[in-house]
Amino acid sequence: MLIRWMFYIALLLVVNQAQAHKASDSYLRLRIEGSQVQVQWDIALRDLQAVINLDGNTDGDISWGELRAQHDNIAAYVLAHITFTQDDQVCKTNSPQQQVDQHSDGAYTVLFFTADCQTPVTKLAVNYQLFFDIDRQHRGLLQLENAGKIQSAIFSPDNMQQSFYSVDQNILRQFGDYMAEGIWHISIGYDHILFLVALLLPVVLQRKNNAWQPASSFRGVVTETLKIVTAFTLAHSITLSLAATGTINMPSQLIEVAIALSVLLAALDNLVPIFRCPRWWVALGFGLIHGFGFATVLSELGLATHALIMSLLAFNLGVETGQLLIVAALLPVLFWLRQSTHYPRFVLGAGSLACMLMATVWIIERAGDVAF
């Protein structure tokens, strides 16, 4: 019965979270020039398709002609979901120009327009409501340039309106925003979570006489867990930093496939030992790959160097906080369940098989660019 339910859960997660890493984001770049705000807004076509029928011939491919034919509808929808205000006066926006750009997760429409605030901008309030009514996971990632200074912010359903001052970069607010975003991304990063779960399932057991037996000491289990988590943290922090600062660039599709493969191999190792090394070495090696996955949002945002370092630190701290919360919730449960004679077969065995099933689906989807 337990095996059946674990497979049901696995299939449900596969159907609902098959992409498992890249959430819905748009990228809003603002530049203040006197009384005007120059706007560049990158919005995923897959997100717009949910509210506007862009694929007119229903062939599964949105052409430039189809996109151009819907330009007026796109402009009307987008401008209805954002407002720029200076000193309580709404800035007037003109009709956007439209281009198309390719991001790591697909095609985006790129809208260029101007918000005229009539008086020199000293305090700009931005009210962002794009897609929140249909997707609570959507995030708006903002970069604001003013007089050579860069500010950044993240819009969410709980933080739709924010104000920006010409002489104040609001570093503490930016730090808090990116730390919260790090916690958010690990909470919806099911591939990262499953990788940790696969590594931790056997940590409450020990091999004796070719058989699994419950670990006798919770302190020993915690010590082994800390080794795994520390190795994973160190590794993905290194590559997150290198990728987000542009030092190393890796193809997004290759990284996403490799992350799914790491889940598959970590889970398989629980059933058929394939790694002849401590599990923290496995966490260290594959953690380097996972770091490239975490870097996607920060690198896509294109922050200036000083802002990127701050946001990188905050985002990484958020990831580690969320990761520790997950481990703190999971480990006591596994330690309690380890006493059952069925743990090796039902929890370790079925749990690993469920992880392998989900990882296999992700590999097929990401490598073949298909969706089940």
Side-chain angles (χ1 to χ4, degrees), residues 240-360:
L240 169 59
S241 301
L242 293 174
T245 55
T247 304
I248 296 178
N249 294 307
M250 296 290 289
S252 176
Q253 185 179 29
L254 176 62
I255 291 300
E256 294 301 318
V257 172
I259 289 173
L261 182 61
S262 73
V263 178
L264 176 64
L265 294 177
L268 178 62
D269 187 57
N270 295 336
L271 307 178
V272 181
I274 55 177
F275 299 115
R276 306 296 179 182
C277 60
R279 294 185 73 77
W280 66 266
W281 274 105
V282 179
L284 184 68
F286 285 125
L288 294 171
I289 299 173
H290 284 247
F292 287 111
F294 283 125
T296 301
V297 173
L298 294 178
S299 60
E300 287 274 13
L301 188 52
L303 293 171
T305 302
H306 68 280
L308 179 57
I309 292 173
M310 180 280 299
S311 59
L312 174 62
L313 176 62
F315 183 85
N316 200 47
L317 183 59
V319 169
E320 306 322 321
T321 301
Q323 183 176 282
L324 288 174
L325 290 174
I326 293 170
V327 172
L330 178 64
L331 194 61
V333 176
L334 295 181
F335 189 77
W336 176 69
L337 289 173
R338 86 197 192 289
Q339 293 286 3
S340 171
T341 57
H342 300 295
Y343 185 98
R345 179 180 178 185
F346 293 129
V347 180
L348 178 61
S352 298
L353 286 173
C355 291
M356 291 172 62
L357 172 63
M358 284 184 277
T360 300

Side-chain angles (χ1 to χ4, degrees), residues 227-245:
K227 290 180 181 179
I228 293 172
V229 173
T230 301
F232 185 59
T233 297
L234 177 62
H236 73 61
S237 296
I238 291 172
T239 47
L240 169 59
S241 301
L242 293 174
T245 55

Side-chain angles (χ1 to χ4, degrees), residues 151-152 163-165 168-175:
Q151 301 180 52
S152 61
S163 297
F164 306 90
Y165 298 85
D168 179 14
Q169 295 193 60
N170 296 304
I171 295 298
L172 290 178
R173 184 187 67 183
Q174 293 180 51
F175 191 92

Side-chain angles (χ1 to χ4, degrees), residues 56-75:
N57 60 7
T58 66
D59 65 349
D61 184 27
I62 301 172
S63 68
W64 170 241
E66 290 172 326
L67 188 62
R68 186 170 52 185
Q70 292 289 347
H71 174 73
D72 290 344
N73 290 331
I74 294 172

Side-chain angles (χ1 to χ4, degrees), residues 17-337:
Q17 301 292 343
Q19 295 300 326
H21 181 71
K22 185 64 174 70
S24 169
D25 298 312
S26 83
Y27 304 95
L28 187 63
R29 294 171 175 85
L30 311 180
R31 187 174 72 254
I32 295 176
E33 296 181 353
S35 62
Q36 291 189 333
V37 182
Q38 304 295 327
V39 183
Q40 176 185 330
W41 199 354
D42 295 28
I43 304 170
L45 295 187
R46 66 174 185 277
D47 292 335
L48 281 173
Q49 175 65 25
V51 293
I52 301 172
N53 183 23
L54 303 178
D55 186 12
N57 60 7
T58 66
D59 65 349
D61 184 27
I62 301 172
S63 68
W64 170 241
E66 290 172 326
L67 188 62
R68 186 170 52 185
Q70 292 289 347
H71 174 73
D72 290 344
N73 290 331
I74 294 172
Y77 179 82
V78 167
L79 293 180
H81 289 82
I82 195 165
T83 305
F84 302 97
T85 305
Q86 151 74 2
D87 290 335
D88 298 324
Q89 296 293 321
V90 176
C91 304
K92 183 179 180 181
T93 55
N94 63 357
S95 179
Q97 297 180 350
Q98 182 175 228
Q99 295 180 7
V100 177
D101 193 15
Q102 196 73 21
H103 287 235
S104 63
D105 58 324
Y108 280 60
T109 184
V110 184
L111 301 177
F112 299 91
F113 58 96
T114 300
D116 188 354
C117 301
Q118 298 184 347
T119 60
V121 177
T122 57
K123 176 187 175 183
L124 181 69
V126 182
N127 188 314
Y128 179 110
Q129 299 185 30
L130 187 71
F131 299 133
F132 290 150
D133 56 338
I134 62 171
D135 185 359
R136 299 286 293 180
Q137 294 188 1
H138 177 76
R139 293 294 184 270
L141 306 181
L142 177 142
Q143 173 188 303
L144 172 66
E145 179 182 350
N146 184 24
K149 297 180 179 180
I150 301 293
Q151 301 180 52
S152 61
I154 300 171
F155 293 96
S156 68
D158 298 322
N159 197 18
M160 293 188 293
Q161 180 163 323
Q162 301 185 47
S163 297
F164 306 90
Y165 298 85
S166 60
V167 295
D168 179 14
Q169 295 193 60
N170 296 304
I171 295 298
L172 290 178
R173 184 187 67 183
Q174 293 180 51
F175 191 92
D177 285 346
Y178 275 88
M179 182 174 176
E181 192 68 9
I183 296 174
W184 171 259
H185 270 74
I186 189 64
S187 72
I188 63 172
Y190 292 99
D191 41 9
H192 304 295
I193 293 174
L194 280 188
F195 178 71
L196 279 175
V197 169
L199 290 178
L200 294 179
L201 283 175
V203 81
V204 295
L205 301 175
Q206 53 188 359
R207 277 280 190 182
K208 289 185 178 179
N209 299 324
N210 294 323
W212 287 112
Q213 294 187 14
S216 58
S217 168
F218 184 68
R219 181 177 181 179
V221 169
V222 170
T223 299
E224 183 63 22
T225 300
L226 287 177
K227 290 180 181 179
I228 293 172
V229 173
T230 301
F232 185 59
T233 297
L234 177 62
H236 73 61
S237 296
I238 291 172
T239 47
L240 169 59
S241 301
L242 293 174
T245 55
T247 304
I248 296 178
N249 294 307
M250 296 290 289
S252 176
Q253 185 179 29
L254 176 62
I255 291 300
E256 294 301 318
V257 172
I259 289 173
L261 182 61
S262 73
V263 178
L264 176 64
L265 294 177
L268 178 62
D269 187 57
N270 295 336
L271 307 178
V272 181
I274 55 177
F275 299 115
R276 306 296 179 182
C277 60
R279 294 185 73 77
W280 66 266
W281 274 105
V282 179
L284 184 68
F286 285 125
L288 294 171
I289 299 173
H290 284 247
F292 287 111
F294 283 125
T296 301
V297 173
L298 294 178
S299 60
E300 287 274 13
L301 188 52
L303 293 171
T305 302
H306 68 280
L308 179 57
I309 292 173
M310 180 280 299
S311 59
L312 174 62
L313 176 62
F315 183 85
N316 200 47
L317 183 59
V319 169
E320 306 322 321
T321 301
Q323 183 176 282
L324 288 174
L325 290 174
I326 293 170
V327 172
L330 178 64
L331 194 61
V333 176
L334 295 181
F335 189 77
W336 176 69
L337 289 173

